[in-house]
Amino acid sequence: MITPRLNLYLLVIITVIGLLSSPSKSLRFELESGHTKCIAEDIKSNSMTVGKYSIVNPHDSQPFPESHKLTVRVTSSYGNSYHYSERVESGQFAFTAAEAGDYMACFWAADHKPTVILTVDFDWKTGVAAKDWSNVAKKGSVDVMEMELKKMYDTVISIQEEMNYLREREDEMQGLNTSTNVKMAWLSFLSIIVCLSVAGLQVWHLKTFFQKKKLI
């Protein structure tokens, strides 16, 4: 029997998971034929990511018009391609990020006369949010409490990994700032040396000129 205390415990777990869940992008946007729209997502290495996209049918009771086709490509910041689909109405992708950084999902609608506007639904999940918990529950035959505990554990691990990743990025930025400051200091020093050298040459030139004219 589930006691009130257990109910409260489950409610706290679900609330924590809701507050600490991994990033998830779900949006609807419009795309004009002949144009491209790209969406970026910062993903750390070894993170699972899942995306689904589909064109909204302007006429529910009829098949898609021939003009309503998408070409979709997902690439990493290093230019590696993780997904490519050409002239499709819907699709999905799933992969584990091999490298940390910004991943780009670019949607291109073929040129069409007259111009048409495509409405696209796009759902992009990473980390814990990308995991199919319904299948986990079915395969493991676990009850609600165990599944929520698994979610919470994976969420905490994901947050810890995210914090480590942010620390690494912060160290990289600090190293870049330090290197830039050192270079700027050397540049300032060289600029001062050049200015003093030019000033000295001007003084020497004027002194020589006045001596030749016997003004001094």
Side-chain angles (χ1 to χ4, degrees):
M1 183 176 65
I2 300 178
T3 63
R5 185 175 181 180
L6 181 57
N7 277 330
L8 179 60
Y9 180 59
L10 288 173
L11 180 60
V12 171
I13 292 175
I14 295 171
T15 303
V16 171
I17 292 171
L19 292 173
L20 302 180
S21 59
S22 296
S24 174
K25 282 187 177 180
S26 182
L27 65 156
R28 173 175 288 191
F29 60 89
E30 292 184 343
L31 181 62
E32 186 177 344
S33 58
H35 289 73
T36 301
K37 183 177 182 66
C38 293
I39 298 170
E41 177 76 3
D42 186 17
I43 305 175
K44 60 180 181 293
S45 60
N46 299 321
S47 291
M48 181 69 182
T49 183
V50 176
K52 295 181 181 180
Y53 54 88
S54 60
I55 302 174
V56 178
N57 195 338
H59 309 291
D60 293 335
S61 58
Q62 301 177 9
F64 276 96
E66 186 61 29
S67 59
H68 282 52
K69 301 290 183 182
L70 280 176
T71 297
V72 184
R73 183 186 295 274
V74 181
T75 57
S76 70
S77 55
Y78 295 93
N80 297 323
S81 180
Y82 284 84
H83 173 76
Y84 179 76
S85 291
E86 188 174 5
R87 296 188 60 81
V88 295
E89 298 165 359
S90 63
Q92 59 183 9
F93 57 85
F95 59 88
T96 300
E99 52 210 5
D102 287 333
Y103 284 72
M104 300 284 292
C106 291
F107 301 82
W108 177 73
D111 198 11
H112 188 271
K113 300 297 182 182
T115 300
V116 295
I117 303 295
L118 279 64
T119 302
V120 182
D121 282 336
F122 182 43
D123 185 27
W124 197 352
K125 298 178 180 179
T126 61
V128 178
K131 198 167 186 177
D132 190 349
W133 289 104
S134 60
N135 286 339
V136 172
K138 291 176 184 177
K139 292 178 182 178
S141 299
V142 295
D143 58 21
V144 175
M145 181 176 178
E146 284 181 295
M147 189 176 70
E148 297 301 336
L149 285 172
K150 285 179 179 290
K151 282 185 181 180
M152 186 175 183
Y153 175 77
D154 281 2
T155 301
V156 171
I157 295 298
S158 176
I159 291 172
Q160 184 180 9
E161 292 175 350
E162 184 71 22
M163 291 178 66
N164 292 335
Y165 171 67
L166 291 175
R167 288 195 190 100
E168 291 176 0
R169 293 291 293 269
E170 184 181 3
D171 291 339
E172 290 177 2
M173 292 302 298
Q174 287 180 348
L176 179 61
N177 289 337
T178 302
S179 175
T180 303
N181 290 336
V182 170
K183 291 178 181 178
M184 289 301 298
W186 275 107
L187 182 61
S188 300
F189 177 74
L190 290 175
S191 298
I192 292 173
I193 295 298
V194 170
C195 290
L196 291 176
S197 299
V198 171
L201 286 173
Q202 287 179 336
V203 171
W204 175 80
H205 176 73
L206 290 174
K207 183 177 180 180
T208 303
F209 174 78
F210 288 134
Q211 283 176 345
K212 287 181 179 180
K213 295 295 183 179
K214 297 181 180 180
L215 296 175
I216 57 175

